Amino acid sequence: MTKRVKTISIIVVVLIILSVSFVVIRKKFFQTDAENNENNIENSYTTIDKENEIAYNESTGVNELKEATGATGDSNIYQVEEEYDGRKALVIKPSLQYQVVFAGMIKEDKPELSEIEEIYNTNIVQSQGIFVKKDSQSKFLEMLETCSNSSYYFDDQDMLQIREEIQPNENDEILKNVINSEKQYVIDIDGTCYIIDQMTGEVVNYDYEIMNPYQPYQYYQNENKIIMMITENIEGKLQDEEIIKSVINLMAQI
């Protein structure tokens, strides 16, 4: 065999090997890609199934507890929570209850469910810290004077601010921490508030001060946002100092 023929033979063999390798690699690539796509689709369906299952379970739990408790409100306003002893409890969604209380505070009248979102979004408090409704600010500062050393004022956004720190005591330190925290307190001095009734699902006027004149406040929380309705103390059962100290102590706890 001549040298030229040998060279041609070697080239042909190499080309054949490269062709076979290309076919094998290409087949493996597309097979892997197809498997990945199949796995992605399977995972997608699994995720959707889990979400649907969670939604179904929550809906089923709400309806079961509605039947057990006799609650008649729309199922969408409720959620199921687990109490400390493991029992399931049917409660109004905290975010919705918060907005209802806020809307009633702003409107100063019973808000309709259909207008709550608009009232809330139009008047939402943007800043963190302590917001006090304008017509309650004078009384709030008056109460603060009974248990604090520092001087306070309200800025143009109705947020409580420290005017001057004068040998701050424990209450002043708590207020300072809250003012500079990521939490938001919305405060109104009013012995009543509007809430969603647990059983009927309707917006009702809750006269907590009439029910218990010794109760210093009523509060509602949605994550880092807290509304505090402070008693007007119409019957004079409480002193201003014990009312405001109770309010400050709650701020220190939540």
Side-chain angles (χ1 to χ4, degrees), residues 80-181:
V80 178
E81 290 188 355
E82 185 172 318
E83 298 184 337
Y84 70 94
D85 57 1
R87 290 184 301 171
K88 303 294 183 181
L90 187 68
V91 300
I92 304 296
K93 291 179 178 178
S95 58
L96 179 59
Q97 190 73 283
Y98 181 93
Q99 290 185 20
V100 170
V101 177
F102 184 89
M105 181 190 73
I106 296 298
K107 187 177 180 181
E108 298 184 343
D109 198 357
K110 176 182 175 180
E112 300 299 328
L113 284 173
S114 59
E115 64 180 346
I116 287 169
E117 186 175 357
E118 180 181 356
I119 294 175
Y120 181 77
N121 290 334
T122 302
N123 299 276
I124 189 170
V125 179
Q126 300 291 345
S127 302
Q128 308 303 316
I130 302 172
F131 170 94
V132 178
K133 194 178 173 193
K134 195 172 291 292
D135 56 9
S136 296
Q137 292 177 5
S138 177
K139 180 62 178 178
F140 189 82
L141 289 175
E142 183 180 320
M143 287 194 294
L144 276 184
E145 290 178 358
T146 66
C147 69
S148 63
N149 292 332
S150 296
S151 175
Y152 298 88
Y153 73 101
F154 289 96
D155 62 21
D156 56 4
Q157 300 297 316
D158 299 320
M159 304 298 297
L160 183 70
Q161 304 292 347
I162 301 172
R163 186 185 303 278
E164 185 179 6
E165 293 187 61
I166 308 171
Q167 297 181 339
N169 59 23
E170 182 180 358
N171 296 318
D172 292 311
E173 294 295 342
I174 293 172
L175 289 171
K176 182 179 180 180
N177 289 335
V178 174
I179 289 172
N180 295 314
S181 73

Side-chain angles (χ1 to χ4, degrees), residues 10-25:
I10 292 172
I11 293 173
V12 170
V13 171
V14 170
L15 290 175
I16 292 173
I17 293 172
L18 289 175
S19 299
V20 172
S21 300
F22 175 76
V23 170
V24 171
I25 293 172

Side-chain angles (χ1 to χ4, degrees), residues 190-191 207-214 231-235:
D190 194 338
D207 294 304
Y208 73 91
E209 184 175 338
I210 292 178
M211 295 178 65
N212 182 5
Y214 292 94
T231 179
E232 293 180 85
N233 197 31
I234 294 174
E235 296 185 21

Side-chain angles (χ1 to χ4, degrees), residues 94-95 98 183 219-227 254:
S95 58
Y98 181 93
K183 293 182 179 179
Y219 82 94
Y220 299 89
Q221 183 172 3
N222 178 35
E223 297 180 345
N224 283 338
K225 294 185 177 183
I226 302 99
I227 289 181
I254 60 174

Side-chain angles (χ1 to χ4, degrees), residues 27-110:
K27 182 179 180 180
K28 186 175 182 180
F29 172 79
F30 281 109
Q31 182 179 358
T32 303
D33 192 48
E35 289 175 353
N36 289 337
N37 289 336
E38 184 177 346
N39 289 335
N40 289 337
I41 292 172
E42 182 180 351
N43 291 336
S44 176
Y45 281 128
T46 301
T47 302
I48 293 172
D49 288 342
K50 286 182 179 178
E51 290 177 351
N52 289 338
E53 181 182 357
I54 291 171
Y56 173 77
N57 288 339
E58 288 179 350
S59 175
T60 302
V62 166
N63 291 330
E64 286 179 349
L65 284 174
K66 279 181 62 180
E67 184 175 349
T69 60
T72 58
D74 189 310
S75 295
N76 292 325
I77 71 174
Y78 297 106
Q79 70 181 38
V80 178
E81 290 188 355
E82 185 172 318
E83 298 184 337
Y84 70 94
D85 57 1
R87 290 184 301 171
K88 303 294 183 181
L90 187 68
V91 300
I92 304 296
K93 291 179 178 178
S95 58
L96 179 59
Q97 190 73 283
Y98 181 93
Q99 290 185 20
V100 170
V101 177
F102 184 89
M105 181 190 73
I106 296 298
K107 187 177 180 181
E108 298 184 343
D109 198 357
K110 176 182 175 180

